[in-house]
Amino acid sequence: MSSHDHDHDHHHDHPVRADQAPTEYEYLENAVRELLVEKGLITPDEIRAAVEKMDRTSPERGAKLVAKAWADPSFMDFLMSDAPAAAEAMGMSLKANHLPADLVAVANRPGHHNLVVCTLCSCYPRMLLGVPPDWYKSRAYRSRAVREPRKVLAEFGTVLPEGTAVHVHDSNADLRYIVVPMRPEGTDNYSEDELAALVTRDTMIGVTVPQI
């Protein structure tokens, strides 16, 4: 899905938070899972093992990808043109994580800030960022990130320079996004490991920016 510019603010009474009640999609997931087990297509142990594998995945993989792009302009070009191939080149097999969607990297630059959301449910590149936070899955974030992105960013402590356009990217079952934040000033002599330490899950979603 293409990105959209949102340069206006709206007032809204609900902060970004996790919803208490299960969503329609969570009910659907439970029903499908129970049906698959009942039909003998998968076992509870296999489901548990898959969940545990996802839980072990951390944002460090995505951070290493971003750090490599910061340190190597040619790799940045590679990442922007073919994110799955760039990840594979660093030994991060997306196929092994059963990603059913394409992956696109979007880069922040002066005057241009990217923010990722899944307005339908919680589509998210788990193989690079780990388990999505509760707020990313919440109805509040899913609706407000599109309608009032600047206000949502401000709630995360991210106040953009005047004139910066905010581009909101809506993930779905066919397409996932990872934000490549701008490299902080004063990091010219940093190693890739030191650069990766500055990159967090939230910076790769776009709600915050890296800090030294």
Side-chain angles (χ1 to χ4, degrees), residues 8-134:
H8 50 278
D9 292 327
H10 300 283
H11 295 292
H12 201 281
D13 294 328
H14 303 292
V16 174
R17 60 175 176 76
D19 294 327
Q20 298 299 315
T23 67
E24 174 185 350
Y25 302 102
E26 288 171 329
Y27 283 122
L28 179 61
E29 183 272 332
N30 288 334
V32 171
R33 172 161 41 85
E34 291 174 0
L35 180 61
L36 291 174
V37 171
E38 181 180 331
K39 296 292 186 182
L41 299 175
I42 194 169
T43 68
D45 285 343
E46 289 172 332
I47 294 174
R48 188 177 305 109
V51 171
E52 289 174 352
K53 180 179 179 180
M54 286 189 292
D55 286 345
R56 289 194 300 269
T57 304
S58 78
E60 290 180 2
R61 303 182 83 203
K64 290 179 180 179
L65 199 67
V66 170
K68 176 69 172 178
W70 282 350
D72 184 347
S74 63
F75 186 80
M76 172 69 89
D77 292 340
F78 185 19
L79 178 62
M80 299 307 296
S81 64
D82 192 340
E88 291 278 352
M90 289 193 65
M92 302 175 188
S93 177
L94 307 188
K95 294 179 181 178
N97 289 275
H98 308 292
L99 179 67
D102 196 5
L103 177 71
V104 170
V106 291
N108 290 346
R109 60 180 186 270
H112 180 116
H113 185 88
N114 296 284
L115 179 65
V116 179
V117 66
C118 175
T119 56
L120 180 62
C121 50
S122 59
C123 296
Y124 175 92
R126 291 172 179 252
M127 68 294 171
L128 294 178
L129 304 190
V131 177
D134 287 343

Side-chain angles (χ1 to χ4, degrees), residues 145-193:
V146 174
R147 294 201 304 266
E148 47 187 18
R150 294 180 189 280
K151 189 171 182 179
V152 168
L153 288 170
E155 290 173 11
F156 281 91
T158 303
V159 179
L160 301 174
E162 186 176 350
T164 300
V166 180
H167 299 261
V168 180
H169 302 272
D170 192 359
S171 295
N172 56 50
D174 299 317
L175 187 60
R176 311 288 169 87
Y177 295 92
I178 180 173
V179 174
V180 180
M182 287 192 291
R183 179 173 177 168
E185 295 183 2
T187 60
D188 291 347
N189 296 323
Y190 279 37
S191 67
E192 283 190 27
D193 286 342

